[in-house]
Amino acid sequence: MRVGVILTVLIAVASLTGCHGSEATFVLSKETDELIREARKPVEKAVLEHFGTPQKLVAWEKLPIDYGKVEKASADIAADKASSEYARISKINHYSTSHEIPGWQLIDGRNLYMRHCLHCHGVSGDGNGPTAPYLNPRPRDYRRGEFKFTSTAVGVKARRDDLHLVLQNGIPGTSMPSFALLKANELTALVEYVRWLAMRGEFEKRLVAELSSDYSQKAVTERVKNEKRADIVETFNKLTTGTKDQPAEFAGTIKDVGDNLAADWLAAEDEANLIVPKHPRHLPSADPQSVTRGRALYMSEKLKCYTCHGLAARGDGTSTVDYWAIPGSSPEKKFEDRGLHDNWGNAIKPRNLTLGQYRGGRRPIDLYRRIYAGIKGTQMAGFATALRDATDEKGNALNDEQVAARMDRHIWDIVNYILAVPYQPQTIEPRLPMTAQAGPAPAAGAPAK
Amino acid sequence: MKSMNMTCKTGICLVLAGMMLVGCGLSDTPPVSVTIKKSDEGVATTEVAKADGNTGDKPGATVAAGGSADLVGVVLFDGTPPNLPPIIAMGAEVKDKTVCSATAVPDESLVVDPASKGIQNVFVYLEKAPAGATPIPPPEKQIFDQKGCKFIPHAMIVRTKLPLPVLSDDAVGHNTHTNPVRQSGINGAVSANDRVGALKIIYSKSEQNPFSVTCDVHTWMKAYHLPLDHGFAAVTNEKGEFSIKGLPPGTHTLKVWHESGNALERSLKVTIPAKEPLTLKYNAAKFGK
């Protein structure tokens, strides 16, 4: 009898609570949690004010995001709504094709994201969805505002097109599948929403960075040795509330952080930052020495590709057994395990080039861009700067145009070499001497010293 | 009777369980809304240091008359300075040993002059240019170099929006990897013996604190950069001395930062003109040594 009652009560409680509490929420970053309580509050408030919650989104106009303008006439919207497509999609997906409110694209993107992306990338885009712990490599945490595979110059963020490409093709060798079955407008909405999540995360990250050197729990623990905690908190509160004759400095910080963020993401869309080769690729079939020159560059002192990718291009260079410093740690700390790590702290491996699988895409232009500007957030540097020869083989000075032409030839040689490695093992053996420089092409099949 | 009671209870249970199952499915997910937020809604204009080194003066602030003065000082080590062994001993078996261990690579995480006990590579700076100061013109050129698998200089203040060419006097390839906070970092390769500097770093924004610059080919290589949009900053020399020029009279807030001790001073008030040189002393505990 008693058991029955308890059971009934339990089920009743479960049925009452079941429908609530399932609302998605954005989580605060680890760095925000590490601030003192008093400093955490204004950060939390600022992020909420400028980005909202997953249910009540805020579209901050400062940011270069296409939130979706209302462009359709009301008659068209009515027609949309009457269509069977709208009825089908809106029921399953809460997907609005109506475009009747400003910011509709953000809502579309959000709803699509919740359906397709959240289980790996998490509600907040922190790469920590329920599936994430089971994946290797882990899903991208967008909140650094960094994406690895871009078509932009060194130090420049990802373009919309780069994210489109990843959605179209997936990332080979990872759990990121292709979403090519989604419609073009759905992909567009997703790209905008992912950029929005990235900017949201980076806004929080940069705000915290402004405060953490003085107001992290660690810093305050250190500071209370010489100062009173109450004084520290009072100074902090002045930052956010201001004084009679000075406006709140934190409001200015929010503005600056927003402005800088907007400028950085805008720069990524600037054509001047898009990497486009000036000279087309020469095919190895037309230039048989190209692969050999590429191998020589791979082994050259100025590029040292082998330190990471290995002498035989198997991704097992010496850097994979070194202990590495945690980037930006001060005083310096090292990772506990050997080998390379990316800016997210995940262990990474240099690509094994004999497999013919490339995360950032396998088109020659993808590889060109990888050599030119590297992989963002990793130790793969942009090598264009090391390939600008000031002189030719005979020591004659070169003009800008000639420098650019030689650089393109060098990069295409490397691309040709990389593309040959999986299919022509003889391009690895016999090994060229370590001191080989990319100079005049050695004769084909020249024996190693 | 008993079985009837059971059936009844089971029935209730079933109904409730059923409700629980269908309840969530039937209830509509709350609609998602979006609010458009204007760019700078309700932001009071605050004074922001402008990129050209001028300060955005507060309305009504007057340019200080009566010239300016320099702040000179010294940063000293309190106690017996540690004797740090080189990171790379001469002739050590390291990557590119012909270049990298041709001479020893010193540990520059705490450089103290044994005679004067002055600490080298300490950043002493104002976060923003002081109001009313005559802007200090940017340096004609700034250069970041490397030799013997060591960055030169180890600690430097970089003027924003001015290219910083990265040179190399080594016969091996390097790369330069920056870790700033307010802007994106770069990771660019540097060719062997590049005396022109194909790689140029341009910092667009001032930073709050110095950050590390590393070489991924030679993992021990490390330097520190502090980009600022003004010139009211200095790095201590081998005797721990520094001098910040052209400060207008009044009270200024200094920051003092060192790579091992980090924030040695977060907001040190100094008055200009100063009666005597500023002497700052820190003991080993500050540096974790």
Side-chain angles (χ1 to χ4, degrees):
Chain A
M1 176 72 185
R2 199 163 283 170
V3 174
V5 171
I6 292 170
L7 200 66
T8 312
V9 169
L10 277 179
I11 293 175
V13 169
S15 69
L16 283 173
T17 54
C19 298
H20 304 279
S22 62
E23 210 171 75
T25 49
F26 289 136
V27 294
L28 290 178
S29 73
K30 191 172 125 273
E31 291 76 15
T32 310
D33 280 337
E34 284 166 3
L35 292 175
I36 56 166
R37 184 168 35 89
E38 291 84 352
R40 210 180 305 148
K41 271 188 216 156
V43 171
E44 197 173 351
K45 182 164 164 270
V47 178
L48 183 67
E49 241 170 51
H50 294 84
F51 294 87
T53 68
Q55 279 64 242
K56 292 186 172 151
L57 307 166
V58 174
W60 193 13
E61 284 188 326
K62 184 185 289 254
L63 304 175
I65 290 175
D66 183 358
Y67 294 116
K69 292 189 184 73
V70 180
E71 279 158 354
K72 286 194 174 182
S74 52
D76 291 337
I77 291 173
D80 273 350
K81 280 191 160 175
S83 74
S84 56
E85 172 86 341
Y86 176 78
R88 186 180 68 83
I89 293 178
S90 62
K91 227 179 201 168
I92 305 168
N93 244 355
H94 301 282
Y95 172 72
S96 71
T97 50
S98 64
H99 301 185
E100 57 195 317
I101 53 154
W104 56 266
Q105 184 154 269
L106 194 66
I107 296 181
D108 282 5
R110 179 261 184 213
N111 290 340
L112 287 159
Y113 182 90
M114 292 302 202
R115 190 173 183 79
H116 297 290
C117 319
L118 154 150
H119 47 91
C120 292
H121 291 282
V123 173
S124 320
D126 57 359
N128 202 19
T131 331
Y134 310 101
L135 304 181
N136 182 17
R138 285 187 72 100
R140 178 67 46 247
D141 174 355
Y142 309 140
R143 298 173 305 168
R144 297 182 58 88
E146 274 179 309
F147 291 92
K148 285 188 176 175
F149 309 107
T150 75
S151 54
T152 54
V154 164
V156 181
K157 292 182 177 296
R159 291 165 73 84
R160 288 182 169 94
D161 291 353
D162 297 328
L163 301 181
H164 262 288
L165 203 66
V166 168
L167 284 177
Q168 279 288 344
N169 300 337
I171 301 181
T174 76
S175 313
M176 176 71 187
S178 157
F179 287 89
L181 289 177
L182 294 183
K183 291 180 179 161
N185 62 332
E186 294 177 317
L187 291 179
T188 304
L190 266 180
V191 165
E192 290 308 300
Y193 189 71
V194 166
R195 290 171 76 249
W196 182 79
L197 280 179
M199 290 183 216
R200 181 193 169 278
E202 204 179 359
F203 176 76
E204 180 184 356
K205 178 177 174 283
R206 290 191 182 188
L207 268 189
V208 172
E210 294 295 323
L211 301 176
S212 63
S213 62
D214 286 353
Y215 301 104
S216 70
Q217 291 169 32
K218 193 176 154 231
V220 171
T221 311
E222 186 63 32
R223 288 177 72 183
V224 289
K225 289 176 189 165
N226 306 315
E227 299 170 71
K228 282 195 193 126
R229 194 179 190 282
D231 292 344
I232 298 172
V233 171
E234 202 193 316
T235 319
F236 177 78
N237 286 341
K238 270 186 200 152
L239 284 181
T240 49
T241 57
T243 55
K244 267 180 205 160
D245 33 41
Q246 214 179 358
E249 204 180 297
F250 194 64
T253 307
I254 292 174
K255 181 183 177 298
D256 288 351
V257 166
D259 286 343
N260 289 341
L261 204 55
D264 286 356
W265 282 93
L266 262 180
E269 301 294 329
D270 186 346
E271 290 287 320
N273 286 324
L274 177 66
I275 297 164
V276 185
K278 287 202 176 72
H279 304 84
R281 175 186 175 210
H282 46 274
L283 288 171
S285 53
D287 182 355
Q289 297 304 313
S290 174
V291 169
T292 317
R293 290 198 304 268
R295 170 69 183 176
L297 282 163
Y298 180 91
M299 296 299 294
S300 71
E301 269 311 317
K302 59 180 167 191
L303 302 189
K304 287 185 177 297
C305 306
Y306 57 88
T307 55
C308 289
H309 293 281
L311 295 170
R314 292 197 187 97
D316 56 356
T318 53
S319 71
T320 60
V321 290
D322 290 340
Y323 285 102
W324 288 76
I326 299 174
S329 61
S330 181
E332 181 185 293
K333 281 197 203 87
K334 287 208 152 103
F335 286 107
E336 283 174 12
D337 47 340
R338 287 169 188 270
L340 299 161
H341 293 76
D342 58 22
N343 278 357
W344 294 263
N346 295 326
I348 49 169
K349 284 181 181 164
R351 192 61 42 240
N352 177 347
L353 298 169
T354 64
L355 299 178
Q357 192 180 55
Y358 317 101
R359 302 244 160 115
R362 62 185 175 137
R363 299 172 306 171
I365 182 66
D366 296 325
L367 297 174
Y368 177 99
R369 285 168 172 159
R370 225 52 67 224
I371 309 289
Y372 189 105
I375 298 175
K376 311 287 163 70
T378 74
Q379 288 79 6
M380 174 72 186
F383 284 96
T385 42
L387 292 167
R388 292 183 186 278
D389 303 337
T391 58
D392 66 7
E393 290 85 1
K394 291 175 190 138
N396 302 318
L398 300 170
N399 64 30
D400 287 356
E401 218 164 275
Q402 289 164 319
V403 170
R406 280 177 69 92
M407 181 190 72
D408 272 354
R409 193 194 67 169
H410 289 328
I411 298 182
W412 286 128
D413 282 344
I414 300 167
V415 170
N416 286 339
Y417 168 66
I418 291 171
L419 288 171
V421 164
Y423 309 105
Q424 301 171 31
Q426 69 274 22
T427 57
I428 303 170
E429 302 287 350
R431 288 174 191 173
L432 292 178
M434 298 275 280
T435 48
Q437 290 288 336
K449 263 185 213 164
Chain B
M1 192 61 196
K2 203 179 174 192
S3 75
M4 172 122 170
N5 197 359
M6 271 307 263
T7 322
C8 186
K9 258 187 284 173
T10 317
I12 293 171
C13 286
L14 277 177
V15 167
L16 284 172
M19 272 172 66
M20 195 174 80
L21 285 175
V22 293
C24 298
L26 289 181
S27 78
D28 244 339
T29 319
V32 178
S33 71
V34 60
T35 314
I36 306 287
K37 186 175 174 64
K38 293 268 170 265
S39 270
D40 288 318
E41 218 168 45
V43 177
T45 32
T46 49
E47 80 276 42
V48 176
K50 293 206 183 76
D52 56 3
N54 289 318
T55 40
D57 286 352
K58 266 182 283 180
T62 48
V63 174
S68 59
D70 298 349
L71 174 71
V72 292
V74 63
V75 183
L76 298 176
F77 190 85
D78 189 6
T80 314
N83 188 14
L84 302 176
I87 337 179
I88 306 289
M90 200 168 115
E93 289 296 328
V94 290
K95 200 181 279 176
D96 298 321
K97 67 172 284 199
T98 49
V99 174
C100 295
S101 62
T103 55
V105 179
D107 183 348
E108 291 174 292
S109 64
L110 180 60
V111 182
V112 184
D113 175 37
S116 65
K117 290 199 180 176
I119 308 172
Q120 198 181 353
N121 298 328
V122 180
F123 290 84
V124 185
Y125 60 103
L126 271 65
E127 242 189 284
K128 287 177 182 170
T134 313
I136 294 174
E140 262 175 44
K141 62 173 179 181
Q142 44 187 7
I143 281 171
F144 187 48
D145 205 348
Q146 43 213 320
K147 187 170 174 63
C149 301
K150 176 175 119 66
F151 285 119
I152 303 165
H154 179 71
M156 81 182 289
I157 288 155
V158 187
R159 190 62 78 96
T160 54
K161 307 203 170 163
L162 189 68
L164 176 69
V166 183
L167 274 51
S168 169
D169 210 359
D170 283 338
V172 296
H174 286 299
N175 76 347
T176 301
H177 195 156
T178 65
N179 298 293
V181 174
R182 285 181 178 162
Q183 49 213 312
S184 301
I186 63 117
N187 182 6
V190 180
S191 194
N193 297 114
D194 181 353
R195 299 313 294 158
V196 184
L199 177 65
K200 288 178 180 65
I201 305 174
I202 298 180
Y203 293 112
S204 58
K205 289 151 224 156
S206 290
E207 290 276 340
Q208 205 179 16
N209 295 307
F211 52 83
S212 66
V213 177
T214 55
C215 169
D216 297 327
V217 185
H218 312 98
T219 49
W220 62 85
M221 288 177 68
K222 192 162 243 205
Y224 286 84
H225 285 181
L226 174 64
L228 290 175
D229 60 8
H230 61 80
F232 301 97
V235 174
T236 56
N237 64 14
E238 62 278 4
K239 286 183 179 161
E241 299 161 344
F242 67 90
S243 137
I244 300 176
K245 298 206 178 345
L247 285 169
T251 308
H252 300 285
T253 308
L254 278 186
K255 289 187 84 168
V256 180
W257 193 97
H258 181 266
E259 60 182 280
S260 295
N262 284 195
L264 297 175
E265 303 289 344
R266 290 188 158 81
S267 54
L268 180 69
K269 304 280 182 210
V270 291
T271 308
I272 295 295
K275 287 194 187 95
E276 52 188 34
L278 184 65
T279 304
L280 301 166
K281 262 191 178 182
Y282 304 101
N283 59 21
K286 275 276 184 192
F287 302 96
K289 302 277 174 193

